[in-house]
Amino acid sequence: MKKIRQLLILFFIIGLWSCDASNMFVGGGSAPDISAPEISITTPENLAYESGTFTIAGTATDNVKVTKVLLTVLCNGSPVFDSNNLPQALIAGNYWSYGFKDLESGEYEITATAYDRAGNSSENSSKTIVITVDNEESVITIQKPNMKPVATLEKLNYRDYTNIEYFQNKTFSIRGSVDDEYPLKEITLQLLKGNKCVYSLTFDSKFSENETLAPMITGSLYNLTITIDSTKTPFASETYT
């Protein structure tokens, strides 16, 4: 009986020695995970302008697996979400994303932080961007020509000389201004015949003071004078809005 007991003890020790995953003589298990994830933000760009509803997204990688990406959000320096209830991004492989909805206008500082299963996080695990949320519509004023309601224009007899403001094959000007708290991205001019657009022109924020663009647009993105040569556009002797 004593010999059997000694043999069992010997087999038990040999079994422990031969099992690397649980060998108490070599550390008692596999090496701990001490590598922290790395994260990036690909959209939106830093210092971008967004509406109150937009998506932030990027990549997050780890030597094992990224388990969560949390977002810390400040608006004009004040926390938007409670620290115990931060927004958590959706993760798909090495990509993450989160959709914000109905944020108020203001300057936002958004920090995305990635964590792995072991809870590791380092300086490279966090990235911060600053964006401006603008929910206010631009106020556009047309000084020339005299603007009339569409219903009024539809009732006018354009063959009546007194109702004619511009003649075919002549140039005419549209003058107006734009008021907005934030920089403009672009302005689009459209001339409509009924519901059909017969002329469209878009110019972006690169349009600066006293610059001239075809067809003869002068001014800045906020104060415009647009002169159109009707001989080079698909106009007929009809009413446009």
Side-chain angles (χ1 to χ4, degrees):
M1 182 66 68
K2 185 176 180 180
K3 289 184 177 180
I4 293 175
R5 190 183 304 117
Q6 290 174 342
L7 287 174
L8 289 174
I9 293 173
L10 179 61
F11 288 142
F12 178 73
I13 293 174
I14 292 174
L16 288 177
W17 184 268
S18 62
C19 184
D20 289 341
S22 59
N23 188 350
M24 60 182 176
F25 297 104
V26 293
S30 57
D33 178 14
I34 59 173
S35 297
E38 294 186 1
I39 195 171
S40 71
I41 299 175
T42 56
T43 184
E45 295 181 354
N46 190 39
L47 303 181
Y49 287 84
E50 298 287 342
S51 66
T53 299
F54 66 95
T55 297
I56 184 172
T59 62
T61 58
D62 185 62
N63 63 318
V64 179
K65 185 180 181 181
V66 175
T67 56
K68 63 182 177 181
V69 173
L70 298 180
L71 299 169
T72 303
V73 184
L74 302 178
C75 179
N76 300 326
S78 300
V80 177
F81 302 97
D82 186 271
S83 58
N84 296 320
N85 192 29
L86 296 177
Q88 185 165 332
L90 296 174
I91 299 176
N94 292 332
Y95 298 92
W96 63 270
S97 64
Y98 183 83
F100 288 104
K101 292 183 178 180
D102 302 325
L103 292 181
E104 296 180 354
S105 296
E107 184 178 275
Y108 285 79
E109 180 181 295
I110 304 175
T111 300
T113 304
Y115 299 87
D116 63 12
R117 188 172 300 168
N120 293 315
S121 188
S122 69
E123 183 178 347
N124 291 331
S125 303
S126 295
K127 286 291 183 292
T128 299
I129 61 170
V130 175
I131 67 166
T132 298
V133 171
D134 178 15
N135 294 309
E136 303 299 324
E137 294 185 355
S138 302
V139 178
I140 300 177
T141 303
I142 302 295
Q143 287 105 18
K144 182 183 178 182
N146 244 347
M147 300 301 293
K148 300 182 181 70
V150 174
T152 300
L153 291 172
E154 290 175 343
K155 294 177 182 179
L156 289 179
N157 178 6
Y158 64 87
R159 298 184 185 280
D160 185 341
Y161 186 86
T162 60
N163 291 327
I164 297 177
E165 294 184 79
Y166 300 101
F167 291 91
Q168 189 178 11
N169 298 329
K170 300 291 184 179
T171 60
F172 62 93
S173 295
I174 301 173
R175 182 178 297 122
S177 62
V178 182
D179 182 25
D180 198 292
E181 182 180 358
Y182 298 106
L184 297 179
K185 182 179 180 181
E186 64 182 26
I187 291 180
T188 298
L189 166 72
Q190 290 184 322
L191 296 182
L192 305 177
K193 177 184 176 183
N195 293 324
K196 182 180 179 182
C197 178
V198 296
Y199 187 77
S200 180
L201 178 67
T202 299
F203 37 99
D204 59 24
S205 58
K206 296 177 181 177
F207 184 59
S208 58
E209 190 73 30
N210 298 322
E211 185 177 355
T212 301
L213 297 177
M216 296 178 67
I217 305 172
T218 60
S220 69
L221 203 62
Y222 291 86
N223 295 284
L224 300 168
T225 298
I226 302 171
T227 302
I228 300 176
D229 184 350
S230 63
T231 64
K232 299 178 180 178
T233 53
F235 297 148
S237 297
E238 299 187 30
T239 301
Y240 296 85
T241 59

